[in-house]
Amino acid sequence: MDLYSPQVIKAIKQKFGFKNSKSLGQNFLTDPEVIRAIVSGAEVSEKDLVIEIGPGFGVLTDEAAKHAGKVIAIEIDKDLLPVLEFTLAAHKNIEIINEDVLKIDLNELIDNVKIENVKIIGNLPYYITTPILMKLLESNLNAESITVMMQKEVAERILAEPGGKEYGALSVAVQYRTIAETIIEVPRESFFPAPKVDSEVLKLTLRDEPAVKPIDEALFFRLVKAGFSQRRKTILNSLSTSGYPKEEIAACLEAVGIDNKRRAETLSLQDFCSISDYFSKSV
């Protein structure tokens, strides 16, 4: 059974009386090339535990299970559970969990499975991509990589370098913790129903150490958030929202060699680290 066929998806929906949930952003992947690209891009092997976010009808789950030691698929929509039981019946190495990925303790999930190599995959709903990514990145997961599909616009923001309009707090947060690369670009026609925008699959390889090493990580991200909170203002003015007096910010920028008329979008991770460390040392 070709699970990715639109005809098969229509037949399964009719069989189970399933209706797409607009609130959950359900667009089901139907392109076998993309499905294979996600699994091969993640370099899934029989030594791996694969955690999939949002299996939908199980098309990606099915492909991952052919290569992985075990697949745990986290699905929030309880109406999809009987569908997944049907479409994935041939596999004995799949566990379906009916949970919200934003609420589940992924580290506990990983610890309960005696497989050391962990890889995360998924076709992320557009409306909640960033919260899911930040949950994954901030959980200090014992995982090798996160290979996920997302709206192309979000992928461009993640990959952006300093100096462009796409570069922002999300770019810094993801690049701080991972090495990001494009696996495949995905046209909207690869889904059923087709969304209004194109997508892209990124592989985020988790770093052993952050890209930069601020003295105070929480302060580093507080300053990054402040810097991008008012993108059109100078870094001197935007950092004023962080709680530090403007004269102290001016002194900091001069000390670390950053022109106070620059904007946050021109600052590298190391620039933000230098600013953060200046205030850490001045306490």
Side-chain angles (χ1 to χ4, degrees), residues 24-276:
L24 295 177
Q26 291 174 330
N27 300 92
F28 300 111
L29 190 56
T30 61
D31 188 333
E33 180 184 355
V34 176
I35 294 164
R36 289 190 290 267
I38 294 173
V39 175
S40 63
E43 301 182 81
V44 175
S45 77
E46 61 184 10
K47 297 179 181 180
D48 297 329
L49 164 63
V50 171
I51 297 177
E52 182 188 5
I53 299 169
F57 275 26
V59 293
L60 182 56
T61 326
D62 173 71
E63 181 66 20
K66 296 174 184 176
H67 303 273
K70 181 178 177 67
V71 178
I72 298 177
I74 303 171
E75 176 54 60
I76 191 173
D77 188 352
K78 68 180 188 305
D79 291 339
L80 278 170
L81 300 185
V83 177
L84 290 166
E85 184 177 349
F86 171 74
T87 59
L88 301 173
H91 298 287
K92 305 302 181 185
N93 61 339
I94 298 174
E95 179 182 354
I96 307 297
I97 297 178
N98 181 209
E99 290 281 1
D100 181 347
V101 71
L102 293 177
K103 297 178 181 178
I104 194 170
D105 186 336
L106 292 171
N107 284 309
E108 182 179 346
L109 197 65
I110 291 170
D111 289 343
N112 288 336
V113 180
K114 306 305 180 184
I115 300 178
E116 292 186 3
N117 300 320
V118 180
K119 291 167 181 175
I120 298 169
I121 63 173
N123 173 21
L124 303 184
Y126 292 157
Y127 78 102
I128 203 170
T129 295
T130 298
I132 291 176
L133 283 177
M134 295 313 299
K135 159 75 181 278
L136 296 175
L137 294 176
E138 293 173 352
S139 296
N140 294 317
L141 297 177
N142 182 24
E144 292 183 16
S145 62
I146 302 166
T147 304
V148 287
M149 177 127 52
M150 64 193 73
Q151 186 175 343
K152 186 173 178 59
E153 178 185 342
V154 177
E156 289 174 346
R157 287 165 54 200
I158 287 173
L159 296 168
E161 297 293 332
K165 64 179 181 179
E166 292 85 7
Y167 182 73
L170 180 62
S171 317
V172 173
V174 176
Q175 293 173 27
Y176 176 83
R177 296 183 174 93
T178 77
I179 299 171
E181 60 182 306
T182 297
I183 297 299
I184 190 170
E185 296 184 1
V186 185
R188 62 198 73 183
E189 294 79 16
S190 297
F191 298 88
F192 178 80
K196 296 180 181 179
V197 295
D198 295 327
S199 298
E200 191 166 336
V201 176
L202 294 189
K203 180 179 183 180
L204 309 176
T205 301
L206 293 163
R207 297 178 184 269
D208 293 330
E209 298 287 343
V212 294
K213 298 180 180 180
I215 296 170
D216 184 337
E217 186 178 275
L219 177 58
F220 171 83
F221 280 109
R222 181 177 129 204
L223 291 167
V224 168
K225 182 178 180 180
F228 287 104
S229 66
Q230 297 174 307
R231 294 181 64 101
R232 308 187 89 177
K233 292 191 175 183
T234 66
I235 191 64
L236 174 62
N237 288 323
S238 62
L239 284 181
S240 298
T241 64
S242 66
Y244 289 103
K246 186 174 288 188
E247 57 270 20
E248 288 187 25
I249 296 169
C252 166
L253 295 172
E254 182 177 1
V256 300
I258 296 175
D259 187 336
N260 63 26
K261 294 181 181 178
R262 289 171 62 183
R263 294 180 179 177
E265 66 192 36
T266 71
L267 301 187
S268 66
L269 273 70
Q270 185 56 59
D271 288 333
F272 278 111
C273 186
S274 297
I275 294 170
S276 171

